[in-house]
């Protein structure tokens, strides 16, 4: 039997550009998705696999992320495209599974089977969904697992033949083939069945992000694609081996889940231009404000106000990761940087990309790391993991490594599930 070649997907992250939603909101003659519609049309023409919309549920956390509700946003984009996938980020911590099943089910219908859900458990935003503090990571992931059990049962509650075409061409419903789910769990009680027609895909594609032990467990059990921030090929291989080994223990087929490790790229027409763009970006950093950003990357409980910019931080400042309730993956990444001897200035620069791998160069060159001595995770086309890439010189982002990106325009791509639902 011939081995299947590794799959590399291409994704536009953010699904927006400039002018962004804030600028567009100033013009009553324009829609806040005008730029995104154009990007979506260009991405589909370039045979990009999917549009990805992130989300943050609080004000001003990271630029304009969260300025548009993802499900409504990609629903609008579904009407100006016909093939490209639509990945919307939605939290299980602040939503009920019955609503989630209906929302993503409807997106799958209005897009003719192109819906995908980037499941997150949220590390911020609890002030807008109170009362109460943000639950700890273990509880958030437990709620996410039960949410997925419920939504999958709801999507499966319409059996084969429940809806068919009658002799007169009208829909005929067989109620006996639509079953209640009668779920009673720790977090939810849901009778079911789902009250929308069976989905074109059966279930939307499930994408998940999380590098902690609980995140890996959730991804291994349910996800078809996982998003990660892995800065070296060795860490990419270790993570991929770990999550796929656990998936195999859970009875899933080999090769699941697909792994995307983020890759932020600054492209220039020449190497000199790329270096200039990076230098200009670094020159614009507010390093005093950056101290708080690095503290946030370390879990928020570290005071860096008096730390010298050009000296390594002592390892005694490192937090106990098990005691951190937010973004443990980022804490682990930045703790690793400190152990490698990064200065505070270098940490602030790395924090501009929130720990994602960042390189610069021309599209045809080998990527140059932002800090010497490190090895890029996507330098060999990522046999163990695909990568997300972004160019600071364009208004959109592409996914896959630079070698694969050049081939994107020659591919014939229609959105389809990357793998079968387990």
């Amino acid at each position: 039997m011939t081995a299947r070649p590794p799959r590399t997907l291409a994704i536009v992250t953010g699904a927006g550009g400039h002018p962004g939603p804030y600028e567009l909101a100033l013009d009553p003659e324009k829609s806040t998705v005008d730029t995104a519609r154009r990007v979506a049309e260009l991405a589909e023409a370039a045979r990009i696999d999917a549009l990805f919309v992130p989300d943050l549920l609080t004000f001003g956390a990271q630029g304009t992320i969260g300025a548009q509700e993802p499900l409504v946003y990609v629903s609008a984009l579904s009407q100006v495209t016909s093939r490209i996938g639509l990945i919307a980020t939605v939290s299980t911590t602040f939503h009920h599974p019955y609503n989630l099943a209906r929302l993503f089910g409807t997106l799958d219908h209005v897009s003719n089977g192109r819906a995908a859900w980037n499941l997150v458990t949220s590390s911020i935003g609890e002030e807008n969904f109170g009362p109460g503090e943000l639950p700890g990571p273990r509880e958030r992931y437990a709620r996410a697992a039960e949410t997925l059990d419920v939504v999958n049962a709801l999507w499966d509650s319409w059996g084969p033949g429940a809806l068919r075409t009658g002799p007169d061409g009208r829909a005929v419903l067989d109620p006996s083939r639509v079953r209640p789910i009668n779920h009673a769990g720790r977090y939810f009680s849901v009778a079911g069945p789902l009250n929308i027609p069976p989905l074109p895909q059966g279930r939307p594609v499930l994408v998940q992000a999380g590098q902690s032990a609980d995140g890996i467990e959730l991804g291994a059990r349910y996800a078809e694609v996982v998003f990660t921030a892995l800065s070296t090929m060795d860490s990419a291989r270790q993570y991929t081996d770990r999550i796929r080994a656990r998936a195999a223990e859970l009875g899933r087929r080999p090769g699941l889940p697909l792994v995307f490790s983020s890759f932020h790229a600054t492209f220039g027409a020449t190497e000199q231009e790329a270096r200039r763009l990076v230098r200009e970006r670094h020159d614009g950093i507010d390093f005093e404000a950056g101290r708080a950003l690095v503290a946030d990357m370390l879990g928020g409980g570290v005071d860096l106000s008096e730390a010298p910019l050009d000296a390594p931080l002592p390892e005694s400042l490192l937090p106990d990761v098990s005691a951190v309730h937010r973004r443990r993956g980022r804490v682990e990444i930045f703790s690793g940087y400190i152990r490698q001897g990064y200065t505070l200035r270098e940490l602030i620069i790395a924090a501009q990309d929130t720990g994602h791998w960042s390189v610069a160069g021309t599209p045809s060159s080998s990527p140059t790391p932002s800090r010497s001595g490190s090895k890029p995770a996507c330098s060999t086309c990522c046999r163990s993991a695909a990568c997300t890439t972004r160019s600071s010189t364009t208004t959109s982002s592409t996914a896959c490594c630079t070698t694969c990106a050049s081939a994107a325009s020659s591919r014939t791509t229609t959105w389809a599930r990357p793998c079968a639902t387990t």
Side-chain angles (χ1 to χ4, degrees):
M1 181 177 178
T2 303
R4 294 177 61 186
R7 171 111 183 232
T8 301
L9 303 182
I11 290 178
V12 172
T13 59
H18 185 81
Y22 288 170
E23 290 82 12
L24 292 168
L26 295 172
D27 189 341
E29 301 298 319
K30 293 182 178 179
S31 163
T32 54
V33 297
D34 279 355
T35 302
R37 282 200 295 252
R38 180 60 179 148
V39 169
E41 291 167 345
L42 290 171
E44 185 163 84
R47 299 181 175 88
I48 299 296
D49 289 284
L51 303 169
F52 169 75
V53 180
D55 196 24
L56 291 171
L57 297 171
T58 192
F59 176 77
Q62 196 170 320
T64 60
I65 294 177
Q68 307 274 7
E69 198 289 314
L71 279 164
V72 176
Y73 196 63
V74 297
S75 293
L77 301 183
S78 76
Q79 301 307 293
V80 296
T81 57
S82 60
R83 300 183 309 279
I84 198 165
L86 304 164
I87 308 174
T89 300
V90 180
S91 173
T92 55
T93 301
F94 304 125
H95 292 83
H96 191 280
Y98 193 82
N99 283 337
L100 289 170
R102 297 184 76 236
L103 290 165
F104 277 99
T106 300
L107 175 61
D108 208 46
H109 277 291
V110 301
S111 66
N112 293 323
R114 294 182 285 139
W117 176 12
N118 178 41
L119 183 155
V120 296
T121 61
S122 295
S123 59
I124 57 176
E126 70 276 11
E127 70 276 11
N128 298 316
F129 296 88
E133 297 182 352
L134 184 73
R138 180 153 296 180
E139 184 174 352
R140 297 202 304 272
Y141 278 110
R143 177 186 168 104
E146 187 174 335
T147 296
L148 283 170
D149 288 339
V150 173
V151 295
N152 285 337
L154 288 167
W155 287 330
D156 296 344
S157 63
W158 288 61
L163 193 66
R164 58 184 176 82
T165 304
D168 59 356
R170 296 175 64 85
V172 176
L173 173 65
D174 182 350
S176 68
R177 296 176 182 267
V178 183
R179 305 175 302 276
I181 67 169
N182 294 324
H183 175 89
R186 176 182 175 187
Y187 298 98
F188 308 109
S189 177
V190 181
L194 193 61
N195 65 340
I196 63 174
L199 279 55
Q201 293 187 94
R203 299 178 184 177
V205 174
L206 182 66
V207 183
Q208 185 258 345
Q211 291 177 225
S212 66
D214 293 323
I216 288 174
E217 179 68 19
L218 187 76
R221 185 177 296 275
Y222 298 100
E224 295 166 277
V225 179
V226 293
F227 286 148
T228 65
L230 302 165
S231 58
T232 68
M233 180 59 82
D234 286 343
S235 63
R237 287 195 179 106
Q238 291 168 7
Y239 174 87
T240 302
D241 290 346
R242 180 181 175 188
I243 195 169
R244 287 184 177 166
R246 179 57 181 149
E249 291 174 354
L250 294 167
R252 303 188 70 188
R253 69 175 177 81
L256 291 182
L258 301 182
V259 178
F260 272 39
S261 184
S262 62
F263 173 54
H264 291 187
T266 299
F267 292 127
T270 63
E271 294 285 350
Q272 292 76 14
E273 182 186 23
R275 286 195 291 270
R276 176 180 60 79
L277 291 168
V278 171
R279 185 170 59 252
E280 290 175 354
R281 185 182 181 213
H282 291 176
D283 288 344
I285 295 173
D286 183 339
F287 284 93
E288 289 307 308
R291 295 172 184 270
L293 183 58
V294 173
D296 181 63
M297 294 296 107
L298 292 170
V302 180
D303 182 6
L304 302 177
S305 59
E306 302 298 326
L309 280 173
D310 294 306
L313 292 181
E315 291 189 24
S316 59
L317 286 177
L318 295 180
D320 177 3
V321 175
S322 65
V324 175
H325 284 184
R326 304 172 189 269
R327 306 180 80 180
R328 284 182 176 176
R330 293 287 179 272
V331 176
E332 291 173 351
I333 290 170
F334 276 80
S335 295
Y337 290 161
I338 290 172
R339 293 188 181 98
Q340 292 175 47
Y342 276 43
T343 66
L344 178 55
R345 186 183 301 275
E346 290 173 323
L347 290 168
I348 292 171
I349 291 172
Q352 306 306 303
D353 290 295
T354 62
H356 299 276
W357 178 250
S358 180
V359 300
T362 66
S364 60
S365 67
S366 297
T368 300
S370 58
R371 186 177 193 271
S372 61
S374 299
K375 182 179 179 182
C378 47
S379 59
T380 59
C381 265
C382 288
R383 295 300 181 183
S384 65
C387 321
T388 16
T389 69
R390 143 174 96 69
S391 169
S392 68
T393 62
T394 65
T395 58
S396 64
S397 312
T398 56
C400 68
C401 45
T402 51
T403 307
C404 299
S406 62
S409 61
S410 65
R411 295 184 293 117
T412 300
T413 301
T414 298
W415 177 251
R417 309 185 64 76
C419 43
T421 302
T422 56

